[in-house]
Amino acid sequence: MKSEILYLNESLTENTMTRLKTILLGKDPRIKQFVIGTPENPMGQRLSSKENKIRCDEFESEMNELHIPFIKIVGSYGNKENSYILPNLDTDIAEEIFGYNGYDQESFIVGESNADSVDFYFFDSENNLIGSMSVMVLVNAETCLNEFKNKIK
């Protein structure tokens, strides 16, 4: 499994940052896994800001109606996109939401938290596993600096 380091963006709101830390560091025992996906730019086709906003509004309304909690984030799949973390969402349901029958995305991500890292599994729109990556999560400048120092020793 490929390994990377994830630095959380300090520009996120405090509530969002706290919630992300809790999920990514596995500190919430109620959350076993999470899904990351976007309703924007279906199948990699670039849409206008207005079209993407409509898709995001529809997505949020649909998740609220289905009582599926979500956290707004900004992700990147070539270009920056408004994305969502959906805690404890089953991969079959994620495929229905983000796959060909839903928001028509090329892929979605499933994350599983460990003590200091997250394992990410990448699925295509038909729920086939297409890749994975283990990511170390660093949440502040001091931790980042210490990690860097440890790597150059």
Side-chain angles (χ1 to χ4, degrees), residues 5-143:
I5 297 176
L6 173 66
Y7 301 95
L8 294 181
N9 185 341
E10 298 293 340
S11 69
L12 295 170
T13 66
E14 188 173 334
N15 288 341
T16 300
M17 178 63 98
T18 300
R19 189 73 181 125
L20 279 176
K21 285 181 194 178
T22 301
I23 292 170
L24 293 175
L25 296 174
K27 305 251 187 230
D28 187 339
R30 298 168 297 168
I31 298 175
K32 305 299 180 209
Q33 73 174 31
F34 55 91
V35 170
I36 301 173
T38 181
E40 293 188 357
N41 303 316
M43 297 308 287
Q45 176 187 343
R46 192 103 167 113
L47 298 180
S48 71
S49 296
K50 183 178 179 180
E51 290 170 307
N52 279 327
K53 178 162 180 8
I54 291 168
R55 290 176 67 85
C56 285
D57 290 346
E58 288 173 354
F59 175 84
E60 291 178 20
S61 292
E62 184 178 338
M63 294 305 102
N64 286 328
E65 286 174 22
L66 296 170
H67 304 286
I68 297 175
F70 59 86
I71 300 166
K72 294 184 200 183
I73 61 171
V74 175
S76 179
Y77 187 73
N79 297 300
K80 286 188 177 181
E81 297 176 311
N82 292 304
S83 300
Y84 298 85
I85 293 179
L86 299 103
N88 288 331
L89 193 68
D90 180 84
T91 57
D92 290 335
I93 296 171
E95 186 270 327
E96 288 179 31
I97 293 170
F98 295 111
Y100 292 126
N101 296 323
Y103 284 89
D104 210 18
Q105 296 299 309
E106 292 178 335
S107 62
F108 61 90
I109 301 168
V110 174
E112 295 177 355
S113 300
N114 303 302
D116 62 352
S117 66
V118 181
D119 294 331
F120 288 109
Y121 301 93
F122 304 89
F123 291 86
D124 68 14
S125 58
E126 295 177 338
N127 205 10
N128 298 307
L129 181 65
I130 56 175
S132 62
M133 175 188 303
S134 182
V135 178
M136 179 181 291
V137 180
L138 301 176
V139 293
N140 64 42
E142 183 180 346
T143 304

